[in-house]
Amino acid sequence: MSSPTSNGLEGIVVADTAISHVDGDRGRLVIAGSDAEQLAAAGGFEGTVQRVLAAGGAKLDDPDLGHARVAAWEVVGRLGDALDAPDAMDALRTSLGHLRTTGDDLRDALAAIGAAPVFVAAWYRKRTDQPLVGPDPTLDHASDYLRMTTGQPPSREAATALDAYLVTVIDHGMSASTFTARVIASTGSDLISAIVGAVGALKGPLHGGAPGPVLDMLDAIGEPGRAEPWILDELAAHRRIMGMGHRIYRVRDPRAAVLETAVRPLASKRLELARAVEHAAAKILHERKPDRPLAANVEFYTAVLLDAVGLPREQFSATFAISRIAGWSAHVIEQRRTGRLIRPASRYLGPMPA
Ligand code: COA
């Protein structure tokens, strides 16, 4: 019997996968056979895309994301009012919906992976009344995304840090959005439909929507000495501390350490503050809930890193999607190979006819 606060789905295995594995007790994330730390240190989003797609069952020699970004740029003029949405995730969801499926999962996957940074950067430039910047296919995905957003070539440090972020968050077990993508794929629907649905699932603040609020929290705290009283006030007001706690991890999220290391060369002023806030939050939450380990999750240092590389906070969740689309695509391809409809059951609690 599930607990009253549970939805009864915790820990239920809904798929076999070779794409990623989350060990919540030991704080370990394995992506396509390698630890996330190793992959991030080696760098290269393009190579990691190739690995996760191969793990899902689709072999490709060269994930030419530069070419895919250029193809997406040709669609930007046909997006109607999709880029006028006030929320970047709404703009991304609607603009991805404009991609036409080819019926070939791998081709659709490359189209969607290439399109996401082009559409998100175009949304930001349009929203801030700046001329749109088209892709440069000779650049790597991280550098080009930064360039299309800011209009400037990024520093090597910023591009390397963003690349490490994109690699680290590419896949993470059966997250809510990944499950969404797999359910849609299992009906025989196309990959673009699965990606659009997954973007909708990722948008929620309990999933991919936390890094913006983490930065708001750091701004509100302002200096390390104010961390403890601010956190105590938040808890007294029955609010949760953003960037802390995780459904699966019972120790610090391993991705938090990867991102903390990746942002260090950028000498972000916020890093020192973030460490102090994390320390204070972990200490206070441990005192309040000694039986429920609540440590920093990926969103905590995502906020610091994405801010340090120069991305606006309205773009944080969509930047998560820019990476995770590759993971979702691999899951769609893997799910398709099973050929099996995912059809869970519900428990009827209503009255029966007399
Ligand atoms: N701050 C304060 N208290 C927290 C907390 C947080 N960040 N996260 C969990 N708790 C508390 C809950 O209030 C609950 O207390 P209660 O038993 O007295 O009601 C207890 O810890 C267990 O929480 P629960 O809701 O069962 O945990 P969960 O596994 O459902 O939640 C999250 C996981 C991620 C949704 C949750 O930790 C959270 O909301 N974190 C903040 C948002 C965030 O950072 N999201 C990004 C996730 S990657």
Side-chain angles (χ1 to χ4, degrees):
M1 189 74 175
S2 53
S3 76
T5 53
S6 146
N7 57 22
L9 289 173
E10 280 80 5
I12 290 183
V13 174
V14 293
D16 292 329
T17 184
I19 301 166
S20 68
H21 170 65
V22 183
D23 182 337
D25 294 327
R26 291 183 189 78
R28 186 173 195 195
L29 169 60
V30 173
I31 299 171
S34 296
D35 279 304
E37 290 88 339
Q38 285 171 351
L39 282 180
F45 180 66
E46 285 75 359
T48 315
V49 169
Q50 192 174 14
R51 287 178 75 123
V52 296
L53 290 176
K59 300 264 183 290
L60 82 166
D61 295 334
D62 172 23
D64 189 353
L65 300 188
H67 178 259
R69 293 193 301 275
V70 171
W73 177 246
E74 284 160 20
V75 180
V76 168
R78 291 190 267 116
L79 292 179
D81 64 359
L83 299 180
D84 296 331
D87 185 281
M89 289 294 273
D90 291 341
L92 179 62
R93 170 174 48 72
T94 316
S95 46
L96 285 172
H98 281 252
L99 297 177
R100 294 196 186 117
T101 179
T102 63
D104 175 329
D105 283 341
L106 190 52
R107 281 180 67 189
D108 285 357
L110 289 177
I113 298 166
V118 174
F119 294 165
V120 174
W123 169 83
Y124 176 71
R125 302 285 296 180
K126 195 159 187 241
R127 195 165 171 71
T128 50
D129 287 326
Q130 300 181 76
L132 306 197
V133 179
D136 176 348
T138 65
L139 295 179
D140 62 82
H141 213 56
S143 299
D144 207 19
Y145 172 47
L146 282 174
R147 190 188 129 274
M148 288 187 287
T149 300
T150 65
Q152 305 293 328
S155 69
R156 178 187 288 271
E157 291 77 14
T160 304
L162 183 63
D163 179 74
Y165 169 77
L166 296 179
V167 168
T168 306
V169 303
I170 197 164
D171 202 56
H172 197 245
M174 197 50 58
S175 69
S177 56
T178 301
F179 185 48
T180 304
R182 285 191 82 122
V183 169
I184 294 172
S186 83
T187 69
S189 184
D190 65 283
L191 183 138
I192 301 295
S193 297
I195 299 300
V196 169
V199 170
L202 184 68
K203 181 186 169 190
L206 298 186
H207 190 358
V214 168
L215 211 53
D216 296 339
M217 170 178 76
L218 295 179
D219 283 348
I221 293 174
E223 53 185 84
R226 289 181 43 192
E228 277 205 32
W230 192 92
I231 289 162
L232 290 170
D233 283 352
E234 281 296 285
L235 294 177
H238 303 288
R239 283 191 288 267
R240 291 186 175 202
I241 309 303
M242 288 293 124
M244 300 296 292
H246 197 275
R247 177 58 64 81
I248 307 289
Y249 291 117
R250 290 295 167 263
V251 291
R252 196 176 190 242
D253 185 332
R255 299 168 299 174
V258 175
L259 302 184
E260 190 186 355
T261 305
V263 72
R264 219 173 278 150
L266 288 163
S268 155
K269 270 190 249 151
R270 281 213 176 85
L271 185 55
E272 191 197 338
L273 175 63
R275 286 187 175 133
V277 173
E278 181 195 354
H279 184 74
K283 178 172 150 275
I284 293 168
L285 289 170
H286 178 65
E287 285 161 9
R288 296 283 174 97
K289 298 205 166 298
D291 300 333
R292 177 72 166 89
L294 291 167
N297 62 48
V298 66
E299 308 292 22
F300 205 93
Y301 288 96
T302 290
V304 181
L305 187 148
L306 296 185
D307 177 62
V309 302
L311 289 172
R313 72 188 73 186
E314 312 92 273
Q315 236 165 276
F316 285 5
S317 298
T319 305
F320 187 168
I322 285 170
S323 166
R324 188 56 67 83
I325 284 176
W328 294 331
S329 298
H331 279 274
V332 166
I333 290 164
E334 189 178 61
Q335 179 62 40
R336 182 94 66 217
R337 290 169 71 213
T338 73
R340 196 149 171 81
L341 175 71
I342 298 175
R343 175 60 168 91
S346 52
R347 189 169 36 183
Y348 178 65
L349 298 176
M352 293 300 279

